[in-house]
Amino acid sequence: MQKAPAPSGAFAFFEPALGVDVERATKGSIWLLLVVLAALSMLGPFSIDTPFPAFSRMGREFSVSTDDMQLVVTAYMLAFALMSPFHGPISDAVGRRPVMLAGLSMYAVASVGCALSTSLPMLLGFRVLQGLSAGGGVIVSRAVIRDMFEGAEAQRLMSRVTMIFGVAPAVAPIVGGWLLTMGSWRAIFYFLVGVAVVLMALVIFILPESHPRERRTAFTPSAIFGGLVEAGRSPAFHRVSWAASLSFAGQFLYIGAAPIFVMDLLGKGEQDFWMFFVPMISGVVLGSWISSRTSGHVTINRLVSAAMAFALFGALVNLAFAVIPATQGLPYAVIGPALIAVGTGASYPALQLTLLDMFPGSRGATVSLFTFFTLVLNGSMAGFVAPHVTGSFAQMALMALALEIVAVLFWMSHLRHRPGAGGKLMRPKVHPVPTPSGQ
């Protein structure tokens, strides 16, 4: 294998010729990598949550109802889902960075279109373009950690990315509300243009290419779709994917319906979304911290089983609060979703790594197909299910409980079929990768 030029700067520890492992990397270098990857992942929640406080203003301007405004979420998420099977396989063939940069460029253009929209159909069209392009950064960034790291270290770093990323859904609606005080709802989408430009700069100047030429697949339809077909035909992939997706859907039901939950059910205003998102995201961060702290000490199977059981417990608590008149409101209404978030925050990083380890030769395709399932489910939740179960706290809580129960059943099925999978404690290890200059 040809040696890459000697790297410099923050990512010098990824020099292929040295074979340096993670213990020799500086903490500052690792955290810089994590911050960049988390920032790329944040594009998703920022795209969904930042416009929430503006829904009422946008609805009045476009003369549409609150339920119609839920299509702003659904259009983005279903378009994201439609394109998600392709981002990863293409990155397996051409590298991670080119796909990220192409996606971010198109996303910036789409955000300008959203800001200039004069009707709901026009806005939805540009939201579709946003969704088609956002996965270039969001999806592909998830494969980078598994490209570089293995075992307990991969779980630890994936959990830390989730912790940093978890702040975004809490911050995004607060930023959106603040931007509304400064002027029109259109400022929110110009803000997203700025986010895309900053992310492009991070990819260009900081992020190394983690998938070098010698590991890439051929850029042909058979190679691109082969990884998707391989994963899609695997019963184990489906069991783990649906366990993760359905468990997260119990939490996302509240995120996707946040305008209805906060403004209609709780009776709060445009500046009050933090009352829901801060407890929810605190749960995600706590769960991710638990996942990070237990990596290398608790098997993946045991961690996921305990975390999903806790999410189910949170859903039961949520339903109890929702049906008792004295607890139908703040602060009780946000406790249950926060408890569910602790469980999903602890299980999600481990479940993603379980899927990536099933198909090491096509990680991009694997994460893409998993993302497709998750987004179709959550997009359907936001656009088609939420309007029918947001009439009361009890309806939402009952739906969340049903999702958590089915998720646990999928995971139990996986354990019965593959009891040894995820049962080992792996030693941390890092894959050497070239720097951007050696791409």
Side-chain angles (χ1 to χ4, degrees):
M1 182 186 302
Q2 185 178 1
K3 293 183 180 180
S8 59
F11 293 100
F13 62 91
F14 290 125
E15 168 57 53
L18 295 178
V20 180
D21 45 36
V22 74
E23 286 82 359
R24 294 184 58 183
T26 66
K27 289 184 178 179
S29 298
I30 292 290
W31 274 104
L32 180 58
L33 174 66
L34 295 181
V35 168
V36 173
L37 294 176
L40 288 164
S41 297
M42 285 179 180
L43 188 62
F46 264 98
S47 301
I48 297 170
D49 299 345
T50 310
F52 278 164
F55 272 19
S56 59
R57 290 196 195 182
M58 295 162 70
R60 288 194 297 269
E61 181 171 329
F62 296 148
S63 300
V64 298
S65 68
T66 302
D67 287 347
D68 289 333
M69 286 305 302
Q70 286 296 116
L71 294 174
V72 174
V73 177
T74 303
Y76 169 83
M77 294 194 66
L78 293 183
F80 195 125
L82 181 66
M83 188 63 189
S84 62
F86 303 103
H87 289 298
I90 293 173
S91 76
D92 287 336
V94 303
R96 311 300 187 205
R97 280 161 41 96
V99 176
M100 291 181 183
L101 292 172
L104 290 169
S105 300
M106 185 178 295
Y107 180 91
V109 173
S111 298
V112 173
C114 289
L116 299 176
S117 295
T118 56
S119 66
L120 181 59
M122 183 177 178
L123 175 63
L124 294 179
F126 283 110
R127 285 288 282 177
V128 167
L129 187 57
Q130 275 189 321
L132 292 174
S133 56
V138 177
I139 295 173
V140 177
S141 64
R142 297 176 186 175
V144 173
I145 284 182
R146 194 59 190 85
D147 286 340
M148 295 180 176
F149 303 95
E150 291 182 353
E153 192 64 28
Q155 180 185 336
R156 185 175 299 114
L157 297 181
M158 187 77 80
S159 300
R160 289 175 180 173
V161 166
T162 304
M163 287 174 63
I164 302 171
F165 153 83
V167 176
V171 172
I174 296 173
V175 171
W178 177 74
L179 289 171
L180 282 179
T181 65
M182 307 288 289
S184 169
W185 60 264
R186 302 174 192 278
I188 291 174
F189 291 101
Y190 285 122
F191 166 76
L192 293 178
V193 175
V195 170
V197 171
V198 170
L199 292 177
M200 289 174 64
L202 292 175
V203 173
I204 292 171
F205 296 109
I206 295 180
L207 191 69
E209 174 57 67
S210 65
H211 192 57
R213 288 186 177 88
E214 59 270 18
R215 293 188 202 154
R216 295 175 190 173
T217 59
F219 191 47
T220 63
S222 60
I224 289 175
F225 290 103
L228 294 173
V229 172
E230 181 186 11
R233 296 167 78 177
S234 167
F237 173 86
H238 283 280
R239 288 190 294 267
V240 176
S241 291
W242 287 113
S245 298
L246 287 163
S247 181
F248 181 71
Q251 171 188 342
F252 188 83
L253 173 66
Y254 286 86
I255 297 174
I260 299 174
F261 182 72
V262 172
M263 302 179 76
D264 295 346
L265 292 180
L266 292 177
K268 300 301 178 180
E270 296 173 345
Q271 310 301 319
D272 298 324
F273 279 77
W274 66 270
M275 295 181 181
F276 162 64
F277 278 102
V278 169
M280 167 77 79
I281 303 311
S282 296
V284 173
V285 172
L286 176 59
S288 302
W289 178 82
I290 292 171
S291 178
S292 175
R293 295 294 294 177
T294 57
S295 62
H297 303 288
V298 178
T299 65
I300 286 180
N301 281 355
R302 184 171 295 179
L303 170 65
V304 172
S305 297
M308 294 190 74
F310 189 86
L312 181 59
F313 165 75
L316 289 168
V317 171
N318 188 41
L319 180 61
F321 283 149
V323 297
I324 299 173
T327 55
Q328 292 177 349
L330 292 172
Y332 305 102
V334 299
I335 292 175
L339 293 176
I340 295 173
V342 173
T344 56
S347 65
Y348 211 71
L351 287 166
Q352 288 189 85
L353 289 173
T354 299
L355 290 169
L356 290 170
D357 285 341
M358 289 180 184
F359 309 99
S362 53
R363 292 185 182 122
T366 303
V367 75
S368 282
L369 191 60
F370 167 63
T371 303
F372 173 77
F373 288 150
T374 303
L375 286 170
V376 168
L377 179 63
N378 290 334
S380 300
M381 277 290 154
F384 307 119
V385 177
H388 300 289
V389 298
T390 50
S392 68
F393 293 111
Q395 288 179 0
M396 292 189 73
L398 190 60
M399 187 66 202
L401 176 61
L403 291 166
E404 295 301 330
I405 290 173
V406 179
V408 169
L409 292 176
F410 269 104
W411 177 247
M412 291 173 63
S413 175
H414 176 70
L415 293 181
R416 284 197 300 268
H417 284 86
R418 301 184 65 179
K424 295 181 180 179
L425 295 174
M426 296 175 288
R427 298 182 65 182
K429 194 175 183 179
V430 64
H431 285 300
V433 297
T435 61
S437 60
Q439 184 180 335

